[in-house]
Amino acid sequence: MLKKSLCLLLFSFILVTTGCTQSEERSSAEVTNISNSGKYPMSFDVHTYEGKKVTQTINHAPEKVMIIGSAVAELMVKFGQQNKVVGFAYNDQAHSNFTEEIEKMHLVSEMWPSKEAIIALQPDLIYSIASAFREELIGSIPSWSNRGIPVVSSTNFTIGRSIDIYFDEIKTFGKVFDIENQTNIYLEEQQARIDKITAKAENIKDHPNVLLVSGARGKYFYYSPKWAIIDEMIEGAGAKYIELSKEDYIELSTEAIIAANPDKIIITEFQQPDQEKTKNNLINDKKLQNIKAIQNKDVMVVEYTGAINGGIELADLYEQVAEFIHPDVFVGVVNDGE
């Protein structure tokens, strides 16, 4: 009887352990299937701060993302990925349509985060503006790759800023998070609105000269077409973007602005939430009163990130620029479905 009981007990133990082993194997297989169900592992190219192209590999869908820069934060919210953010740093934007959602993110630092702060969060991906990847800031992209943490970089002024480059960044975002269905719809909608403007602009004969200036602490700065996105909007809407230097970014003297004598001025100011103040400071500048744009108060203030870096509401800004440059052509047209 005892022998029979021992046999039954042993048989039960074998069933239980076998069941557990099969369960563990099944769980392991499910994890493997989840990891490989989409497009992972995937490889893609990014640019270092210096402009060198490097390849990054992501082995699974990102779940713990460290983000740096408000434009990146906007992307995460726009496409429903904010729950994956474990840390946010460098809140560089004064205005955003996603401020409420961004403020809910765990703010690691208002400015550049430390390497130690990032490592402590144990992210499986760092998504950042390219300027952060310097040794004196958070370290180079290869240094993070050596730690086993892949990186996505964006807004790299070394390679330049353009609408095409910005759209490529959106495509990379969609690929990384396996949401290309969403990003493709967004890109198609944005491009359709842009095409609508450029098609109407083809018949425009009068091309006013437009100067972009960046205001900061009572000074004015110039951005070359390589270092801005808004130049394409100005040209696409039937105007001429005034180029004043071969340099990508320089301080402008009032004499240079007077000599250019633009028909219209578009001004932006980094992290300045009071656009009316920015506009009035320019219009009331006593040294610029003989300029046509100032005399006619033909001045437009735009948000910095969208104008220079490129932002998620890109087509909105394109339409606003078009309406400012040619109100007779674009007022009431860009949004009326024509």
Side-chain angles (χ1 to χ4, degrees):
M1 188 70 178
L2 179 61
K3 185 176 180 180
K4 184 176 180 181
S5 298
L6 288 173
C7 287
L8 288 171
L9 182 62
L10 179 60
F11 180 70
S12 298
F13 177 76
I14 290 170
L15 284 176
V16 170
T17 54
T18 302
C20 289
T21 301
Q22 290 176 341
S23 177
E24 288 171 359
E25 289 176 351
R26 184 165 57 250
S27 297
S28 177
E30 286 171 358
V31 171
T32 301
N33 288 337
I34 290 171
S35 297
N36 296 326
S37 62
K39 301 177 181 179
Y40 309 99
M42 70 167 64
S43 295
F44 53 91
D45 292 330
V46 298
H47 289 89
T48 65
Y49 175 69
E50 297 77 17
K52 181 181 178 181
K53 188 179 290 186
V54 294
T55 300
Q56 298 289 285
T57 299
I58 297 178
N59 292 317
H60 57 82
E63 292 296 334
K64 298 174 65 179
V65 187
M66 174 70 202
I67 62 173
I68 303 174
S70 297
V72 178
E74 284 192 322
L75 281 179
M76 298 298 286
V77 176
K78 172 70 175 180
F79 295 107
Q81 304 301 303
Q82 64 266 39
N83 291 338
K84 298 179 180 179
V85 176
V86 294
F88 167 48
Y90 199 64
N91 191 4
D92 60 326
Q93 199 161 316
H95 170 75
S96 172
N97 290 333
F98 304 101
T99 298
E100 185 176 344
E101 291 87 348
I102 292 173
E103 287 179 348
K104 295 176 184 177
M105 296 177 180
H106 170 51
L107 186 64
V108 177
S109 173
E110 284 282 356
M111 297 300 293
W112 305 113
S114 67
K115 300 173 187 177
E116 294 75 17
I118 297 173
I119 293 170
L121 295 170
Q122 298 181 321
D124 54 22
L125 179 71
I126 299 174
Y127 209 123
S128 171
I129 52 179
S131 52
F133 294 110
R134 289 176 274 177
E135 289 300 339
E136 65 271 24
L137 296 179
I138 73 167
S140 67
I141 292 177
S143 73
W144 288 104
S145 297
N146 291 338
R147 289 188 175 97
I149 303 175
V151 159
V152 180
S153 66
S154 64
T155 319
N156 192 320
F157 285 96
T158 303
I159 65 172
R161 300 307 295 157
S162 70
I163 291 176
D164 283 345
I165 289 174
Y166 180 72
F167 280 0
D168 283 342
E169 292 171 357
I170 301 294
K171 291 175 185 176
T172 298
F173 184 92
K175 180 180 179 181
V176 166
F177 291 97
D178 197 14
I179 54 168
E180 289 176 283
N181 57 327
Q182 294 183 50
T183 52
N184 286 343
I185 291 172
Y186 163 81
L187 290 171
E188 289 169 5
E189 182 265 345
Q190 293 284 297
Q191 190 61 59
R193 290 165 66 184
I194 291 171
D195 290 346
K196 183 178 176 181
I197 293 169
T198 56
K200 285 189 172 293
E202 287 180 358
N203 298 320
I204 294 173
K205 305 300 182 184
D206 172 37
H207 297 121
N209 293 315
V210 181
L211 178 65
L212 170 71
V213 296
S214 173
R217 297 177 296 279
K219 298 180 179 180
Y220 303 112
F221 296 88
Y222 164 81
Y223 282 86
S224 76
K226 179 185 175 183
W227 269 38
I229 279 185
I230 200 170
D231 66 290
E232 293 178 65
M233 301 178 188
I234 291 170
E235 298 272 348
K240 173 67 176 176
Y241 184 87
I242 298 177
E243 297 185 43
L244 296 180
S245 173
K246 293 181 179 180
E247 299 292 328
D248 291 324
Y249 178 76
I250 61 168
E251 183 178 343
L252 280 178
S253 65
T254 52
E255 289 77 14
I257 300 174
I258 292 169
N261 195 20
D263 299 305
K264 296 173 182 283
I265 295 176
I266 295 178
I267 185 168
T268 187
E269 190 166 353
F270 183 63
Q271 289 187 319
Q272 174 53 266
D274 191 341
Q275 293 192 349
E276 195 64 26
K277 179 181 178 181
T278 297
K279 181 176 181 178
N280 289 335
N281 286 343
L282 176 66
I283 290 176
N284 295 325
D285 189 329
K286 294 180 180 180
K287 297 178 182 178
L288 302 178
Q289 293 306 305
N290 291 328
I291 293 175
K292 283 184 287 186
I294 301 298
Q295 291 176 341
N296 297 326
K297 293 184 171 52
D298 234 340
V299 174
M300 177 185 187
V301 186
V302 294
E303 191 272 321
Y304 179 91
T305 298
I308 306 301
N309 302 344
I312 201 69
E313 309 296 343
L314 187 143
D316 286 359
L317 180 58
Y318 208 126
E319 291 169 349
Q320 292 159 13
V321 168
E323 188 171 319
F324 167 69
I325 292 172
H326 287 293
D328 55 326
V329 176
F330 294 108
V331 164
V333 173
V334 292
N335 290 314
D336 67 359
E338 287 187 10

